Amino acid sequence: MAIKKYISESHANGFECTALVQGNVVMFKVRGSAATNLGTSDQYAYCGTFSQLKPLITDNSDHIKRVVITHKYIGQLRFDVDTCQLRMGYTFNYNGNAVDIPEGTNFYMEEIFIL
């Protein structure tokens, strides 16, 4: 089975996202540098949209994974099944405090979701 590649970007937030798809298994790669202060301590920041994945969705539940964003921050990576949007948010530092991702923060994440 061939691997398909889709790209989506959010220039406003500084995200470049890639989805590598084989069957209903998707590896999301999210990289960039926060173009502005991302208010992610209590909400999500938009990363990109992958409407090409809609036919692969087998359930109606959003997919959420805990991720390491940088050596300073952890948070959630969320794929919304209704909008096919990939978003990052609800971020914390390693002391357990909810924090926003500051402008200029560089990040790279890879996560696998089974749709």
Side-chain angles (χ1 to χ4, degrees):
M1 184 177 291
I3 296 175
K4 296 178 182 176
K5 180 178 178 179
Y6 305 106
I7 297 173
S8 182
E9 298 178 342
S10 170
H11 294 290
N13 288 336
F15 292 96
E16 178 185 308
C17 305
T18 303
L20 300 174
V21 182
Q22 187 171 29
N24 69 337
V25 177
V26 180
M27 175 185 279
F28 287 111
K29 295 183 179 189
V30 182
R31 74 181 105 217
S33 179
T36 185
N37 182 52
L38 302 174
T40 53
S41 62
D42 62 356
Q43 62 184 345
Y44 289 102
Y46 172 78
C47 299
T49 301
F50 293 93
S51 55
Q52 306 94 329
L53 303 180
K54 191 70 165 172
L56 303 178
I57 297 170
T58 58
D59 63 52
N60 292 328
S61 299
D62 293 340
H63 299 272
I64 301 172
K65 287 208 172 178
R66 177 67 74 193
V67 293
V68 174
I69 299 165
T70 71
H71 66 285
K72 294 182 179 181
Y73 307 111
I74 57 175
Q76 295 178 359
L77 192 62
R78 177 184 181 133
F79 181 73
D80 186 301
V81 297
D82 292 328
T83 63
C84 293
Q85 289 184 350
L86 187 65
R87 299 180 290 159
M88 176 185 69
Y90 292 91
T91 50
F92 293 85
N93 62 21
Y94 283 98
N95 293 326
N97 301 315
V99 294
D100 293 336
I101 301 295
E103 181 177 350
T105 301
N106 296 315
F107 49 86
Y108 181 82
M109 297 171 277
E110 289 185 6
E111 281 299 324
I112 294 176
F113 287 77
I114 299 174
L115 303 180

